[in-house]
């Protein structure tokens, strides 16, 4: 990816648990700058709470404070964008937090207001942000235009309940999210780290796919999801890691610097090995249809036999005219390498038909039976460039596996006459893969990596559909190659492909 900007969370990401910048972190930012990659930070802290970071990191790009509630220039005083909470919404949030038994802090302007100077986390937060809070008797007196309201407690279960309840109560008026183990933040709905990325794209005139983000907390998930490249810290929770493209080391192991050096500034992999892959690649995991085989004609015939039987029976029962399935236009519109259940639903909805999931699954199963019969009598065509690439992979000593989102991968390989090119063939047997759940489909790719005896970081995914690309990203496999047969390269990149080619031979 051609990354032009890296946005980093601060606490738990850029700094150590002692809130220190390591020399290697500062050197990594210098390397970014030397390579022409801009760098900035975002945090739940107020602007002056980030003052100690500006000089050592030589920041010049706009900085997002309050998790996006305020964008300021690197002087930390010139406000570019600000999102405040309406007074009546703020009062309702404070009422709820106090009644729930949480301490309440309010950030308004550049000030931090509290009522209990000995309350939980006050001393710690003072050390973090580098200035003292203003102690007041009445927290309601500073709700004219608050940017952030924080509920504080050491009771994690209480915080989780407060987040859920507040989210329901506030609706579209404000957002509630845990920013750390002891905090639940209430902000304007557009003051979130997803909007931090969008605002940076607007202010710096960059497309989202040229922005990378790195973070460790649940409130970092929106920015990790929306950016062209999302990187989770090694100390992040599983719910954060699952949305990231890469996982680096922890903040105590210079994880930020490792991410910069490995994922942002790593040389283009196409020039690193004769196969166009990262040097550590030890196995290639290939999607089947659209990557290796051209079975569209046979699939179209299987769908036609299925739907013509179903539609005819339905038309007779309803005394309606029978309109047969069009294997050219309807197949091209609804069936293009995605997950079968999604495609069946798309076709049925276009025909004005709604069916429960169990019935859709039954139709998919029946189509599979028809397909197996067809595969026994017809030969599946292959992509010559793909087979040339697979042979080069094998000649290079890498292991090979086929991943099929259906239960009929073995039959397809046999029909195509290429089963001998692969060390393993892993077929999905789960409804999740059938229904396009990229997160759970990743289990199939991970099973393929295990089947050929390599770690996930050493495996490369090749797929032509968003669900397969998602699977590679969710599974944190080492590298993901998108194969663009249908003119949707940009979509494959958005889903997390590291590189997109029209034919695998282009990698040689």
């Amino acid at each position: 990816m051609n990354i032009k900007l890296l946005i980093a969370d601060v606490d738990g990401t850029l700094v150590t648990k002692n809130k220190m910048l390591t020399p290697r972190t500062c050197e990594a930012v210098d390397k970014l700058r030397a390579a022409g990659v801009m760098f900035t930070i975002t945090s739940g802290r107020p602007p002056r709470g980030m003052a100690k970071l500006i000089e050592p990191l030589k920041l010049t790009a706009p900085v997002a404070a309050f998790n996006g509630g305020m964008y300021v220039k690197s002087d930390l005083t010139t406000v570019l964008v600000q999102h405040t909470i309406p007074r009546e919404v703020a009062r309702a949030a404070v009422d709820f937090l106090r009644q729930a038994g949480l301490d309440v802090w309010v950030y308004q302007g550049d000030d931090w207001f509290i009522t209990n100077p000995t309350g939980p986390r006050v001393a710690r937060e003072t050390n973090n942000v580098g200035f003292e809070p203003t102690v007041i008797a009445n927290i309601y007196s500073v709700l004219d235009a608050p940017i952030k309201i924080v509920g504080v407690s050491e009771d994690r279960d209480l915080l989780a309940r407060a987040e859920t309840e507040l989210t329901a109560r506030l609706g579209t008026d404000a957002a509630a999210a845990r920013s750390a183990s002891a905090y639940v933040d209430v902000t304007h709905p557009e003051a979130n780290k997803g909007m931090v990325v969008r605002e940076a794209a607007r202010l710096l005139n960059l497309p989202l796919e040229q922005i990378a983000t790195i973070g460790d907390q649940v409130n970092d998930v929106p920015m990790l999801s929306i950016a062209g490249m999302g990187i989770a810290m090694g100390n992040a929770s599983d719910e954060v890691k699952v949305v990231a493209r890469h996982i680096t080391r922890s903040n105590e192991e210079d994880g930020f610097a490792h991410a910069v050096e490995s994922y942002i500034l790593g040389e283009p992999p196409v020039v690193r090995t004769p196969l166009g892959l990262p040097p550590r690649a030890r196995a290639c995991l290939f999607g089947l249809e659209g990557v290796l085989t051209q079975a569209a004609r046979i699939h179209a015939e299987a769908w036609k036999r299925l739907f013509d039987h179903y539609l005819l029976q339905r038309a007779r029962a309803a005394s309606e005219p029978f309109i047969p399935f069009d294997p050219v236009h309807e197949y091209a519109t609804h069936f293009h390498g995605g997950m079968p259940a999604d495609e069946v639903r798309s076709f049925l909805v276009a025909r004005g038909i709604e069916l429960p999931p169990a019935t859709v699954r039954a139709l998919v199963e029946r189509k599979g039976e028809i397909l197996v019969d067809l595969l026994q009598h017809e030969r599946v065509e292959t992509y010559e460039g793909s087979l040339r690439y697979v042979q080069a992979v094998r000649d290079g000593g890498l292991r090979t596996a086929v991943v099929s989102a259906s239960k009929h991968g073995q039959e397809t390989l046999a029909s195509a006459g290429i089963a001998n090119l692969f060390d393993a063939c892993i077929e999905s047997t789960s409804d999740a893969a059938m229904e396009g759940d990229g997160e759970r489909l990743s289990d199939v790719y991970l099973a393929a990596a295990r089947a050929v005896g390599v770690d996930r970081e050493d495996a490369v995914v090749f797929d032509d559909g968003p669900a397969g690309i998602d699977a590679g990203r969710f599974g944190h496999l080492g590298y993901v190659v998108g194969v663009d047969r249908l003119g949707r390269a940009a979509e494959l990149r958005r889903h997390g492909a590291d590189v997109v080619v029209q034919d695998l031979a282009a990698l040689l």
Side-chain angles (χ1 to χ4, degrees):
M1 292 186 179
N2 184 24
I3 298 300
K4 296 295 186 183
L5 170 68
L6 173 61
I7 304 174
D9 170 55
V10 175
D11 298 297
T13 300
L14 195 66
V15 299
T16 66
K17 64 181 180 181
N18 294 324
K19 309 303 175 183
M20 301 297 294
L21 289 169
T22 69
R24 191 174 168 199
T25 292
C26 296
E27 290 169 7
V29 174
D30 288 339
K31 290 178 182 178
L32 285 171
R33 192 172 295 109
V37 179
M38 293 180 285
F39 176 73
T40 191
I41 56 179
T42 179
S43 173
R45 301 182 184 189
R48 59 176 167 156
M50 295 183 279
K52 293 181 180 180
L53 304 174
I54 300 299
E55 184 176 346
L57 296 175
K58 307 180 184 70
L59 295 182
T60 58
V63 171
F66 298 119
N67 293 331
M70 181 184 289
Y71 245 109
V72 295
K73 288 187 176 182
S74 57
D75 61 10
L76 301 182
T77 58
T78 305
V79 178
L80 300 173
V81 179
Q82 180 171 278
H83 300 290
T84 60
I85 308 168
R87 180 175 177 81
E88 61 277 12
V89 177
R91 288 187 64 89
V94 170
D95 284 343
F96 172 82
L97 291 170
R98 295 182 68 195
Q99 290 167 10
L102 284 76
D103 268 26
V104 177
W105 301 346
V106 172
Y107 290 90
Q108 185 162 271
D110 200 25
D111 294 314
W112 168 28
F113 298 97
I114 67 172
T115 58
N116 180 12
T118 61
R121 296 289 177 122
V122 171
R124 180 171 178 171
E125 188 69 7
T126 301
N127 180 64
N128 289 350
V129 300
F131 65 91
E132 296 282 342
T134 300
V135 181
I136 57 176
N138 181 8
I139 201 71
Y140 293 96
S141 66
V142 289
L143 297 182
D144 293 331
I147 296 177
K148 184 171 74 167
I149 298 168
V150 184
V152 188
S153 174
E154 299 291 357
D155 186 335
R156 296 192 179 191
D157 292 337
L158 174 60
L159 282 172
R161 292 194 299 271
E163 178 188 27
T164 301
E165 178 67 17
L166 264 177
T167 297
R169 288 177 177 239
L170 296 173
T172 60
D173 294 329
R178 282 170 291 166
S179 59
S181 62
Y183 306 143
V184 59
D185 295 350
V186 179
T187 59
H188 186 280
E190 292 188 22
N192 62 75
K193 289 191 175 178
M195 287 303 295
V196 164
V197 179
R198 292 191 180 279
E199 199 63 48
R202 184 186 69 82
L203 291 170
L204 299 173
N205 193 29
L206 291 173
L208 293 176
E209 56 264 28
Q210 291 185 354
I211 300 176
T213 56
I214 181 169
D216 71 304
Q217 286 290 335
V218 174
N219 68 337
D220 295 319
V221 165
M223 76 174 187
L224 298 182
S225 303
I226 197 174
M229 180 188 295
I231 305 169
M233 297 296 292
N235 48 290
S237 64
D238 289 341
E239 60 186 316
V240 178
K241 290 178 179 177
V242 76
V243 304
R245 176 64 189 90
H246 299 290
I247 301 174
T248 186
R249 300 167 184 167
S250 76
N251 63 325
E252 293 298 300
E253 302 170 298
D254 275 317
F256 171 82
H258 177 76
V260 169
E261 294 159 3
S262 300
Y263 310 129
I264 307 295
L265 299 182
E267 292 183 26
V270 74
V271 302
R272 289 160 69 180
T273 73
L275 296 171
L277 303 177
R280 71 177 296 173
R282 295 176 53 219
C284 293
L285 317 178
F286 298 93
L288 185 54
E289 174 58 21
V291 177
L292 301 171
T293 61
Q294 306 180 61
R297 180 183 60 80
I298 296 177
H299 281 280
E301 175 61 23
W303 286 122
K304 179 168 176 60
R305 293 189 186 186
L306 170 80
F307 286 126
D308 280 359
H309 175 77
Y310 168 77
L311 293 170
L312 179 60
Q313 297 297 110
R314 185 176 184 276
R316 286 174 176 171
S319 299
E320 296 175 350
F322 165 57
I323 303 174
F325 178 78
D326 186 333
V328 177
H329 299 295
E330 286 184 310
Y331 181 78
T333 300
H334 303 288
F335 299 85
H336 35 66
M339 293 297 103
D342 290 340
E343 296 180 332
V344 168
R345 280 191 288 266
S346 173
F347 165 70
L348 293 174
V349 167
R351 288 288 191 105
I353 302 170
E354 289 282 353
L355 294 178
T359 306
V360 171
R361 284 195 294 271
L363 289 172
V364 172
E365 291 287 348
R366 177 59 188 140
K367 181 263 184 178
E369 295 169 2
I370 297 170
L371 178 65
V372 169
D373 182 65
L374 289 171
L375 289 173
Q376 292 174 349
H377 298 91
E378 300 190 40
R379 184 177 179 85
V380 171
E381 297 180 7
T382 57
Y383 290 98
E384 186 276 333
S386 292
L387 297 193
R388 185 150 51 92
Y389 185 80
V390 172
Q391 190 59 61
V393 166
R394 293 182 67 83
D395 291 344
L398 277 68
R399 306 283 285 174
T400 57
V402 168
V403 169
S404 175
S406 77
K407 302 175 183 178
H408 311 294
Q410 297 280 7
E411 292 95 335
T412 302
L413 287 176
S415 175
I418 58 174
N420 63 317
L421 292 177
F422 303 96
D423 301 305
C425 176
I426 306 299
E427 299 173 346
S428 169
T429 58
S430 71
D431 292 338
M434 187 182 294
E435 295 173 4
D437 185 334
E439 182 174 349
R440 290 169 61 190
L441 180 58
S442 66
D443 291 341
V444 187
Y445 272 104
L446 292 172
R450 290 193 297 271
V452 295
V454 302
D455 294 333
R456 69 175 76 192
E457 296 87 356
D458 299 332
V460 180
V461 170
F462 298 79
D463 210 293
D464 75 321
I469 302 300
D470 283 343
R473 179 167 62 86
F474 284 129
H476 302 294
L477 286 107
Y479 197 65
V480 180
V481 177
V483 184
D484 178 29
R485 307 289 191 194
L486 300 171
R488 50 182 181 178
E491 181 181 9
L492 297 179
R493 290 191 186 95
R494 281 197 303 272
H495 280 260
D498 293 294
V499 66
V500 177
V501 295
Q502 292 183 334
D503 187 87
L504 293 188
L507 293 169
L508 295 174

